[in-house]
Amino acid sequence: MAEHLSQSELDYPFKLLEYFNGFRISKAIFSACELGVFDLLLQSQKPMSAVEVAQKLGTSEDGIERLLDVLVAIEIVDVEVVQGTAFYSSTDVANLYLAKTSPKSLHDLIIYNSQTIYPLWNNLVDAVREGKNQNEKTFGLPSEEIFSAIYRSEEEMLKFMGLMNSTWVIDGHDIVTAFDLSSFKTVIDLGGCSGALARELAKEYPSSTVTVLDLPAVVQTAQRHFAQQDDTICFQEGDFFEGEIPPADLYILARIIHDWKEDKNLKLLKKIHTACHPGGGVLIAEALLFENRRGPTMVQMFSLNMLVQTEGKEHPPSHYTRLLTDAGFRDVQVCRTGKSYDAILALK
C-alpha cells in the first residue's frame, strides 16, 4: 500500500482524507439504522421527501435531509429531484442488508457496532498504551472478565447474539461448505450462540446431528429469541472451558479462538482432542491474516478490535496449524473463503 499511495498522496492526500472520514461514514450508516430510515424507505410505496421522512421518524427536516444526502453519496439510497424537491428511495443493497425485515439483514450487527464497539474504540489510544481491553474504562467492568462485559445485561446479550446471528446468516454457508463435512455424523458447535452457524450446517448436511453447546443464559436466550419453527438443531447448556465436553465426531469453534490467549486456547483444543471420536476433527472459523503481515485490512482491524474488547487477536494460518498440531490434531487444512471469515479443518 505504501508504494501505491506514495506519489499520489504527495501531490494531494486524497486517500488519507478518505480514511480520516471513514468513521463519519460508518456513523452515518449506524445512525440511519438506529433511526429506522431503511425500514421506512423499504415499506414506502413511493419515494419520500425529507419532510415526509422527518415526519414519520420524528426527526428534524434539516438533519434527516443531510443524512439522506450522505446515504445517496455512498450509494445506499437513491434520489430524484422533481421541481426542486428531492425524493428518496431505497436501493436493493439497503433492502437486502440494512432493513430489519430482510432474511440477510445486518441490522443487529450494525447496532452492536454502533452502541458497543464504537464506544470502546474511543479508548483505542489507552488500549494501545496499556495492551489490554477497555471494558473497564468504557463500561465500568473488569477487563479480565470479558464475557461478563459482553453479557452485562439481557439487552447487551441480545445485541451480541444478534451480531453473531447476522454474521453467520451471510458467512455461514461458506464456512460449512469450505470442506466436505458429510462424514461427521455428530457435530457440536461450541459457543454456538444463537445457532445460526449450526443451522447452516444442518441444512447442508441433513443426516448429521448438530448441537449448540453454550452457557445456560445464552442457550435460554437463543431458544426464546432465535428459535425457528423448522429447527433441526439441538441446544445443550454447558461451559466448554470449565465443564465436560460431550463426545462427537466434529467440533466447531467459530470466532472463539481469537477471543483468548494462546495458553487457554491450547488447553481447550487438547480437551476437544480428548473428547473427539477417532477419525473426528475440529472446524475453526476465524478471519485469517496473511503471513506477510500485509493484510487483509479488515482482518487487521478485527485484530485491533480484539485488543480493545477481549484478550485475544487474529492470526495467520501458520499459527493455527502449530496450535492444532501441538494439541494433537493432524492433517490441518486451510480454506480462504474470500469473505469475512475463513475455515480450518484438522483431524484427530
Side-chain angles (χ1 to χ4, degrees), residues 264-285:
K264 188 166 186 172
N265 286 324
L266 181 58
K267 183 179 178 181
L268 173 61
L269 287 169
K270 286 180 176 180
K271 192 175 179 180
I272 292 170
H273 186 271
T274 300
C276 187
H277 289 152
V282 59
L283 177 70
I284 293 175

Side-chain angles (χ1 to χ4, degrees), residues 293-308:
R293 306 180 72 87
R294 291 184 175 271
T297 303
M298 183 169 68
V299 183
Q300 289 170 324
M301 297 298 281
F302 284 169
S303 196
L304 201 54
N305 188 71
M306 293 298 99
L307 173 64
V308 299

